[in-house]
Amino acid sequence: MNMLTPKQTALDKIGIPSHLLWGYIGIIVFMIGDGLEQGWLSPYLVEQGLTMKQSGLLFTVYGITVSVSAWFSGVFVQMWGPRRAMTFGLAAFIIGSIGFIGFGISSMNYAVILSCYALRGLGYPLFAYSFLVWVSYRTPQEILSKAVGWYWFVFQLGLSVIGAFYSSFMVPKIGEIATLWSALIFVVAGGVFSIIMNKDKFEVQKVSDNKGKELLKGITIAFENPRVGIGGIVKIINSAAQFGFVVFLPTYMTKFDFTVSEWLQIWGTLFFVNMVCNIIFGIVGDKIGWVNTIKWFGGVGSGIVTLALYYVPQLVGHNYWIMMIVACCYGATLAGYVPLTALVPSLAPNDKGAAMSVLNLGSGLAAFVGPLVVTVFIGTLGVGGVMWIFAGLYFVGAFLTSFLTPSQEKGGTGAGFANGQKAVS
């Protein structure tokens, strides 16, 4: 296991592995390109002629490809190394974007839009989550929770903060299509930083000659080690609402006279708070325990604030600053899930790549489950019913987290650390 040395830099001391710095920078830049349409693409496509159900289906199919890519990321890193896996992700994103923007939206051909956006969905998890696996392998356990917190900090900084604010300024100036094309500049630059300028050495693990069996390990470990499977379910719950919100919440807010620019600013600020709290809860998780942090701050907190996102606009109407506060509370509680990325691999210390695949699959499935819940229930239950479903999922996730406390294993692997003590292995 990697350990801290007396030669650690200032970055190492605050939880950023200095040998992976360019990778972190690359994730910021890449995720700007991936996230710049997050707050407005669905209503834009509806304005261009798609129905809300077609938009929901688009994001649901996108979520399926994200799930597949996220699952493959962990075992691909074990077999090929992170650079090759990330390169495949970059290529899929670029090719999918060209088809989606250049051929799909330009003619509003739904089949092309659906297929190319799905291909685009293969790209970002294979790029971003492969780097997360890289971090999990090459970071000392005693700073892993902090390193993961910084990872989600830069991930959200690009995806939901800079991307949202960039769009809020650029869409009115150059239009939606030109803004979408500009994403390619960011993803290529992010690829250069993370793949080329990042010089960290990663030794590819020796894996079985049966590649199919190795790939399936990313699923079978969830049954061989049920706690890993439960961790994957909690990860789905963690992000499902976030992906569901982008389908209908902007439209819901317009009923209370919020403009697109106002909502993008609220959405961007939400994730600015989230990324700051990612670091805070990485530290909190090491102090009070990973499980306690995930259960109370992540699960219970997110469930309560989800309901507030629905009811507060009905009570106060078009009140920009009150909605800003509620949205920021949601961003803060989401950060309570940060220690999950450190906890789940510690449940399977001999199969970290496979455990990370389950966790990444959970992240990917969230992009499928969230829009699916909206697609299935928005017509019959309305916005209120959907918000209660998401809140209920958070409360269920809080209950499931109770089963994730690692058992004491020989050598002290993970158990003490998960309860807030420093690892000594």
Side-chain angles (χ1 to χ4, degrees):
M1 178 179 294
N2 295 317
M3 298 295 292
L4 290 174
T5 70
K7 295 182 180 180
Q8 61 181 304
T9 67
L11 288 172
D12 295 311
K13 290 178 180 178
I14 65 172
I16 300 176
S18 55
H19 52 287
L20 292 171
L21 176 61
W22 279 111
Y24 279 85
I25 293 172
I27 292 297
I28 296 174
V29 180
F30 181 94
M31 295 312 297
I32 294 172
D34 179 71
L36 54 80
E37 85 276 10
Q38 191 177 61
W40 54 266
L41 182 60
S42 177
Y44 171 73
L45 292 175
V46 171
E47 288 177 3
Q48 300 305 306
L50 296 191
T51 66
M52 183 62 75
K53 284 193 174 182
Q54 284 179 317
S55 178
L57 178 61
L58 174 67
F59 285 96
T60 301
V61 172
Y62 174 82
I64 293 173
T65 60
V66 166
S67 303
V68 172
S69 178
W71 168 42
F72 284 151
S73 61
V75 288
F76 277 177
V77 169
Q78 285 192 174
M79 292 191 300
W80 299 341
R83 282 190 174 84
R84 187 175 177 187
M86 293 171 75
T87 300
F88 275 106
L90 178 62
F93 189 96
I94 292 172
I95 296 170
S97 295
I98 292 172
F100 174 64
I101 307 166
F103 299 98
I105 295 181
S106 62
S107 61
M108 287 308 294
N109 185 315
Y110 187 65
V112 175
I113 289 174
L114 201 63
S115 58
C116 290
Y117 201 60
L119 177 59
R120 196 173 186 261
L122 290 174
Y124 103 75
L126 201 52
F127 185 92
Y129 296 155
S130 291
F131 181 72
L132 178 58
V133 178
W134 196 344
V135 170
S136 74
Y137 269 104
R138 297 283 293 133
T139 302
Q141 176 109 346
E142 56 266 43
I143 67 166
L144 181 56
S145 182
K146 299 181 185 71
V148 166
W150 278 107
Y151 169 85
W152 290 115
F153 175 95
V154 300
F155 182 94
Q156 293 291 10
L157 176 62
L159 177 68
S160 300
V161 180
I162 300 178
F165 280 106
Y166 172 82
S167 288
S168 73
F169 290 109
M170 296 306 293
V171 168
K173 292 181 180 298
I174 65 176
E176 290 85 354
I177 298 299
T179 302
L180 285 172
W181 280 118
S182 70
L184 295 180
I185 299 172
F186 291 105
V187 299
V188 170
V192 171
F193 291 141
S194 290
I195 299 171
I196 298 175
M197 297 186 67
N198 177 20
K199 302 298 183 181
D200 182 62
K201 303 295 184 182
F202 185 96
E203 183 177 345
V204 179
Q205 288 192 322
K206 181 177 176 58
V207 297
S208 168
D209 291 334
N210 188 336
K211 304 300 184 185
K213 181 180 179 181
E214 200 64 33
L215 283 173
L216 286 175
K217 186 184 288 186
I219 290 291
T220 58
I221 191 173
F223 300 95
E224 297 166 359
N225 187 336
R227 289 176 300 163
V228 172
I230 292 172
I233 294 171
V234 174
K235 187 59 183 174
I236 296 172
I237 293 170
N238 169 197
S239 302
Q242 175 188 340
F243 286 104
F245 287 165
V246 301
V247 178
F248 73 94
L249 206 53
T251 303
Y252 176 66
M253 290 300 169
T254 61
K255 295 181 180 179
F256 301 94
D257 298 324
F258 285 92
T259 67
V260 173
S261 292
E262 283 178 328
W263 176 245
L264 285 174
Q265 290 164 13
I266 292 173
W267 187 255
T269 306
L270 179 164
F271 285 103
F272 175 80
V273 172
N274 174 258
M275 71 180 191
V276 173
C277 289
N278 282 337
I279 301 170
I280 294 172
F281 281 112
I283 298 169
V284 169
D286 286 343
K287 296 296 184 182
I288 71 171
W290 296 346
V291 170
N292 286 332
T293 304
I294 297 163
K295 180 194 296 184
W296 295 110
F297 290 101
V300 175
S302 295
I304 292 171
V305 182
T306 293
L307 295 176
L309 282 169
Y310 174 65
Y311 286 109
V312 169
Q314 298 181 30
L315 295 175
V316 302
H318 180 228
N319 191 313
Y320 179 83
W321 290 109
I322 290 181
M323 281 310 302
M324 179 72 79
I325 292 170
V326 174
C328 289
C329 288
Y330 180 69
T333 57
L334 273 184
Y337 284 97
V338 158
L340 189 65
T341 312
L343 174 59
V344 171
S346 77
L347 301 174
N350 296 322
D351 286 299
K352 283 187 176 183
M356 284 297 296
S357 280
V358 172
L359 197 64
N360 293 344
L361 176 60
S363 296
L365 282 173
F368 163 70
V369 170
L372 180 63
V373 168
V374 178
T375 302
V376 173
F377 295 106
I378 194 74
T380 54
L381 300 181
V383 173
V386 170
M387 294 296 267
W388 271 100
I389 290 172
F390 284 133
L393 287 173
Y394 280 125
F395 297 138
V396 170
F399 171 74
L400 292 176
T401 303
S402 303
F403 299 97
L404 297 183
T405 302
S407 58
Q408 185 68 41
E409 296 177 9
K410 186 176 180 180
T413 312
F417 195 43
N419 290 299
Q421 302 167 6
K422 285 195 173 184
V424 294
S425 56

